Amino acid sequence: MEESKLHDLIMNDEGIQKDICEIIGLDYKDIDYVHEDKYVNEIKNENLVLGIMECKGDNIGVRDYVRGIGQVMQYGYFAEEGLSNKGYDFSDKVKVILCFPSSLIRKATFNIGL
């Protein structure tokens, strides 16, 4: 699954959005998924950022996988420091997520555990 298809799936499937909220401990009520705003995907309630997602497809190598981990760490830093070019506030319980399809584990030419 290409990254763009993963983005589309998340943005267009309320069931997946609910599952993501459940995994990170958010109530799905009044949640907005914002695609390609400041970060790749934001989970927001009005101007309060509750989560930031970095998505990767299954057609990546170790370089892009490690890059995704770095991006997640960078987003975590932004949230901790309250850094937002759009003036958003961050929840004190903001979650930062690296999201990829399970097929990445099956198809990868590298061991993501290493």
Side-chain angles (χ1 to χ4, degrees):
M1 175 183 298
E2 294 180 7
E3 183 175 328
S4 62
K5 290 188 187 282
L6 180 59
H7 282 261
D8 291 344
L9 188 62
I10 291 169
M11 295 308 298
N12 297 317
D13 190 318
E14 192 173 302
I16 290 175
Q17 293 175 5
K18 287 179 180 179
D19 288 345
I20 291 169
C21 284
E22 184 179 322
I23 289 167
I24 62 174
L26 294 176
D27 183 12
Y28 183 71
K29 184 179 178 188
D30 300 322
I31 296 291
D32 293 315
Y33 276 72
V34 182
H35 179 62
E36 297 290 343
D37 187 21
K38 174 62 184 154
Y39 307 104
V40 175
N41 289 302
E42 295 170 352
I43 303 169
K44 292 177 31 186
N45 184 331
E46 297 184 16
N47 279 343
L48 184 65
V49 177
L50 305 171
I52 305 169
M53 280 191 294
E54 175 62 31
C55 296
K56 295 294 179 192
D58 66 4
N59 58 342
I60 62 171
V62 70
R63 172 194 237 168
D64 284 324
Y65 182 74
V66 171
R67 187 172 149 242
I69 293 170
Q71 288 169 293
V72 164
M73 293 175 73
Q74 182 181 28
Y75 300 157
Y77 174 78
F78 293 159
E80 288 172 9
E81 298 297 319
L83 303 174
S84 171
N85 289 339
K86 299 240 178 189
Y88 299 148
D89 292 322
F90 293 93
S91 165
D92 58 349
K93 296 179 182 179
V94 67
K95 305 291 183 182
V96 184
I97 307 155
L98 178 58
C99 184
F100 53 85
S102 60
S103 54
L104 174 65
I105 297 168
R106 288 191 319 270
K107 294 170 108 180
T109 58
F110 62 96
N111 182 338
I112 67 167
L114 299 176

